[in-house]
Amino acid sequence: MGDTNPKAEEDHQHDNEHNHEHGGIFGAKTELIFSILSGITLGVGFLLTFADGIPDWVSFALYLCAYFFGGYFTAKEAIETVVKGGFEIDFLMLLAAIGAAILGEWAEGALLLFLFSLGHALEHYALNKARKSIAALADIAPKTAIVRKGNEQKEVPVEELQIGDIVIVKPNSKISADGVVIKGNSSVNQAPITGESVPVDKYPIEDASLDFTKEKNLPSSENRVFSGTINGSNVLEIKVIKEAKDSTLARLIKLVNETEETKSPTQQFTDKFEKYFVPSVLVLVGFLLFAFLVIDETFSESFYRAMAVLVAASPCALAISTPSAVLSGVARAARAGVLVKGGSPLESLGGLTALAFDKTGTLTEGKPKLTEAVPFQKTSSEELLTAAMAVEKLSDHPLAAAVVAGATDRVGDSQIDEASELQAITGRGVKANWNGEDVYIGNKGLYEEDLSVQVPEELANTLDRLETSGNTAMIVRKGSTFLGIIALMDTPRQGAKNVIARLKDIGIKRVIMLTGDNQRVADSVAKEIGITDAWGGLLPEDKVDAINKLRQQESQVAMVGDGVNDAPAMTKSTVGIAMGAAGSDVALETADIALMADSLDDLPFAIGLSRKSKKIIRENLWVSLGVTAFLIPATIFNFVGIGLAVLVHEGSTLVVVFNALRLLGYKKT
């Protein structure tokens, strides 16, 4: 993941690129209408040259009209560029048209401007399809919301919504803000944000008084709703947890729009190529202007050839070949609930040879459940679970919540003394004081390595049995007495095995699971879902080392996680991919690619789209470079004139643009 400077990229883009989005007396269609008028006046003027009795000045006047309509926006762009201290393709084309006029070839110059303006108008129209696909995201946001104040309801603009406001969402209407459901049950269509085709059931949250602006208090998916999604058949009351400008939809729109400001490796290459190519062409044109001094021809013939080469060598198709494909690919991904942050990750994703997954919440459900409580010697199950529950109540670790929930179901929690002085022992377990004694809950390493206490053989055997069957097992010790073992299991995601198989089918050689669980648990899960490599017992910093190691072994490695705890490892990977990013601001910021839905199914689609994008970019480069390689010698040796050169030139530009637009129709299998 390379660091980018969006502002610098934006300035660079605005200084060096034009998208030809012109307005005028006919609005956005002005350029196309002017181009058509140029073609009509050119055609009529040319036909009149064959009519008897029509003065020559009539055709000449029509050619001048064709020059005006065809050259208006070309001249406008050229002047704007020159004022900024540079020159572009528009300037070269204008120069060639002026040269044709000097030679008296008004019809040919008008043809050049007509075809050039028509090509750019169609290019603008085509690229606008991709931009509109992205802009459509902004249209899904509702403009107003119904806010409840006491017993009164008032309709207000969404911009006026404040955190904590209660919003009423009627059946089959759009949800106006990111929030949590506090009243009502309904199914919500989240496709506009996450790409999920099936509506998601939503339920009221138990404690609506929490501060949901803090990441740790974010509600689960069944309690949370997003701006722009569509409510089902029941009324919902929602507590706003984000202002409109900070909503998931607003951030998504902002990030998608920023993708045009970042350049892919191929685009960076073509930029460097153009940097040396264009001056070389100008030097060549300069020499050709004086060819009449060396070979037997007039200055007019040399001048005409130079202008033809100028047209032939203008890298118009090359300049648009990569941006058009990137824009179309990003737009298609966004429609499917996959946020791709620019051309670099779009291209890199398609070249992956290895995928590293965080286990918990990515390959598994992330909702571990207490499966077994095995007391040791004279300890009762109730005593074991009570001690574990008292300590884990103080912890905010996901496993702690599972222990408390499971223990409460089995023994209740009505008369449990509170523990105190909780200490987390990273990668090992926890320690707290309960009823005057220290209670430790953790893995075997906690006792034998940190505390230098030998785990009894019977307990160790039980631990091995539980871990071999895929459980995460923890030993509980109070004072100097081992109370027993509690075991939890986080089940693999439904469909994870199928997704892993599909990834292998599309060419991913290695699928690696990184987890803090011990190696036996890792191996058990890996075997169940088809993982090729399982690396267990990893601390957060170990995952970073694991990614560094993988990058030495494989050419391209992606890290897939939730974008929160996995952010350091994502930073070191070729591409960082966050799942369930619609629920996490951190995931949206840290990942190169964000799967808005909490689903693995979007991963093969994203990789397939990337590979298709790379294929189209390669095709576009071959077309643009091939046409240039043909036209330059063809115009130098007078096989092709200005008219045919601009026809082929603009034709190749349209070919690469419409080829790129095929990505908008890429199918999700």
Side-chain angles (χ1 to χ4, degrees), residues 607-617 662-663 666:
I607 294 174
L609 176 63
S610 171
R611 291 184 174 176
K612 184 69 172 179
S613 300
K614 287 188 73 172
K615 182 173 181 286
I616 283 179
I617 288 171
R662 291 194 297 131
L663 287 169
Y666 182 79

Side-chain angles (χ1 to χ4, degrees), residues 24-106:
I25 58 174
F26 301 110
K29 296 179 180 178
T30 302
E31 186 177 20
L32 181 60
I33 292 172
F34 270 34
S35 175
I36 293 170
L37 289 173
S38 174
I40 291 172
T41 51
L42 168 64
V44 172
F46 182 71
L47 290 174
L48 289 179
T49 60
F50 297 98
D52 295 331
I54 303 294
D56 291 342
W57 66 264
V58 176
S59 290
F60 176 71
L62 288 168
Y63 290 154
L64 283 179
C65 290
Y67 257 74
F68 171 78
F69 289 119
Y72 178 82
F73 287 111
T74 304
K76 185 173 181 287
E77 286 285 348
I79 292 168
E80 288 175 355
T81 309
V82 170
V83 167
K84 291 179 181 178
F87 64 89
E88 272 191 349
I89 295 162
D90 305 89
F91 180 81
L92 301 181
M93 289 295 178
L94 189 64
L95 197 62
I98 292 171
I102 292 172
L103 293 172
E105 300 288 345
W106 289 96

Side-chain angles (χ1 to χ4, degrees), residues 35 114-124 650 653-654:
S35 175
F114 160 60
L115 292 174
F116 184 72
S117 62
L118 179 64
H120 273 260
L122 292 174
E123 173 193 320
H124 171 210
E650 289 305 308
T653 302
L654 292 178

